[in-house]
Amino acid sequence: MVVRGAGPRGGWRGGAPRPLGIDFRLYDPAPDASGGRVAPLVVGAFDDRRALERFAADVDVVTFDWENVPADSLRALRGRAAVRPPARALAVSQDRLAEKRIFRRLGIPTAPFAAVNSLAGLRRAVARVGLPGVLKTRRLGYDGKGQAWLHRRADIGAAWGALGGRSLIYEARVPFQRELSLLSVRGADGAIVHYPLAENRHEQGILRLTSAPYRDRALQAAAESHLEALLARLRYVGVLGVEFFEAEGRLVANETAARVHNSGHWTIEGSVTSQFENHVRALSGLPLGGTAPRGHAAMVNFIGRLPAAADVLAVPGAHLHDYEKSPRPGRKVGHATLVATSARARDREARRLLELGRREAGELTQ
């Protein structure tokens, strides 16, 4: 079995396979991939088909935890090892237009959108979809990258100048009250479990805080229905995440994550079974674990530089996860989870962790 380490981008923070008695190997282009500290690492390019095929010949299941692994490389491994989740799911999550189209086919609400391939096409999209809106690259955009906001028609030229020449999508702005996400897990036998909705706060396009559970029975039921439709359509195995906007009491789908997801890191200490363990259970054909929260949980991302471990662990209920990355502005270098007995206590301690992170990141940029 291979669980791909994310190298300098991250890694398997939960260490999920080892307690289950499952051996795993990693494949990554980076020789200093952080996953290499916990499992054998094979270094190779993601588009080196021969190297990937040799690697897959020694494992039973191939999975991934980075959204930009080439879907075609995974397709080439079919017949050599089981690929879970399927390459098609990854391909959909890599293309914002494909995501929106599958949402629309399944009746999942989205913002109005239009494909854009030229300056004239952008003008037509703005006329049809309206203003304000956001122009996005269809591929490779993450953490707020590859986006340009349009508030008036005069912004069209600048937006095209910034992003033109690539395949794009223009989306109407959604006036939302909050950002929510749902993680669901589908096993090889078709069994499905859902985590509770989580509320997310982004700053400058980067996730800073996740709080769970977000309790709203109607929204939870709607989100679960949407995820079940996606899981079935994609013949999915593993953890699937969908980010939503809550707008006027309903959910509007934003994007998918065909992998374990940053907004699910709270589950490591905050749930009966972490997203990482449930992903491995699903891949391996094992029964899925419970998803109930252990209390009121939060996850705080540390951006740029990690605060001192003693300061983080002095916060009641906090657990530190160090990605062992070198400091760099805008880089996720670790996170803290915390679990409290009340939402008020959780939110109070989460604010302390956010302040620690901001103070440390401020020192990095001075």
Side-chain angles (χ1 to χ4, degrees):
M1 176 183 198
V2 52
V3 176
R4 195 198 72 78
R9 295 170 294 276
W12 270 64
R13 289 104 182 170
R18 297 305 305 154
L20 298 176
I22 296 172
D23 292 323
F24 62 113
R25 301 175 65 200
L26 310 177
Y27 185 99
D28 198 288
D32 62 344
S34 57
R37 296 177 177 87
V38 297
L41 173 66
V42 175
V43 178
F46 287 136
D47 59 358
D48 187 336
R49 298 289 180 84
R50 290 185 178 180
L52 284 166
E53 289 171 2
R54 288 195 299 269
F55 183 71
D58 293 331
V59 300
D60 299 311
V61 181
V62 172
T63 192
F64 49 88
D65 74 346
W66 187 51
E67 61 271 23
N68 291 326
V69 174
D72 284 344
S73 293
L74 292 179
R75 291 189 183 100
L77 300 181
R78 287 183 299 196
R80 290 175 168 81
V83 177
R84 296 172 176 168
R88 182 191 174 208
L90 177 62
V92 167
S93 73
Q94 290 175 336
D95 185 336
R96 289 188 169 100
L97 182 61
E99 280 183 324
K100 292 296 189 296
R101 285 173 170 167
I102 197 170
F103 288 153
R104 177 177 285 175
R105 286 196 294 271
L106 295 174
I108 301 171
T110 71
F113 65 92
V116 172
N117 296 300
S118 66
L119 178 57
L122 176 56
R123 291 194 178 103
R124 289 193 296 270
V126 170
R128 191 176 81 193
V129 173
L131 290 163
V134 59
L135 183 67
K136 301 179 180 179
T137 56
R138 282 174 53 179
R139 302 176 64 84
L140 299 178
Y142 64 97
D143 288 347
K145 298 177 177 66
Q147 301 184 15
W149 280 94
L150 289 79
H151 299 280
R152 56 190 188 280
R153 290 190 64 83
D155 295 332
I156 290 175
W160 180 256
L163 300 177
R166 289 171 281 184
S167 296
L168 304 170
I169 183 172
Y170 179 71
E171 303 174 16
R173 181 178 70 87
V174 177
F176 62 90
Q177 285 72 55
R178 58 186 53 84
E179 297 175 79
L180 302 172
S181 59
L182 183 72
L183 295 181
S184 299
V185 194
R186 185 173 184 266
D189 62 353
I192 296 174
V193 295
H194 304 283
Y195 287 93
L197 279 168
E199 183 174 0
N200 302 312
R201 184 194 305 172
H202 291 77
E203 296 176 4
Q204 297 180 328
I206 302 175
L207 180 63
R208 294 305 299 261
L209 171 66
T210 297
S211 302
Y214 180 74
R215 298 192 187 280
D216 184 305
R217 290 184 179 180
L219 292 181
Q220 181 77 33
E224 290 181 5
S225 177
H226 297 332
L227 267 291
E228 287 173 8
L230 281 167
L231 290 166
R233 176 62 64 91
L234 296 171
R235 298 181 180 179
Y236 202 89
V237 177
V239 171
L240 176 67
V242 176
E243 296 179 346
F244 296 97
F245 300 121
E246 181 186 353
E248 298 180 349
R250 71 183 190 119
L251 294 176
V252 178
N254 181 32
E255 61 184 28
T256 63
R259 55 186 172 84
V260 291
H261 191 247
N262 196 187
S263 71
H265 289 356
W266 68 269
T267 65
I268 299 172
E269 280 82 27
S271 178
V272 172
T273 312
S274 77
Q275 65 164 343
F276 296 97
E277 180 175 333
N278 255 337
H279 188 66
V280 173
R281 288 187 183 209
L283 306 183
S284 307
L286 297 171
L288 302 181
T291 56
R294 295 185 181 276
H296 296 269
M299 185 280 302
V300 173
N301 272 329
F302 295 126
I303 311 298
R305 189 192 296 274
L306 202 66
D311 292 340
V312 174
L313 298 178
V315 176
H319 304 264
L320 177 63
H321 296 268
D322 182 349
Y323 302 167
E324 301 184 42
K325 296 181 181 180
S326 57
R328 189 175 71 201
R331 189 183 210 185
K332 294 174 184 173
V333 293
H335 74 266
T337 62
L338 66 88
V339 184
T341 56
S342 70
R344 179 178 295 182
R346 174 200 64 198
D347 295 344
R348 180 182 65 244
E349 305 307 342
R351 286 192 294 270
R352 290 180 60 185
L353 291 169
L354 283 168
E355 180 56 32
L356 285 173
R358 291 194 181 103
R359 187 169 63 208
E360 196 68 29
E363 292 174 358
L364 184 66
T365 58
Q366 288 176 359

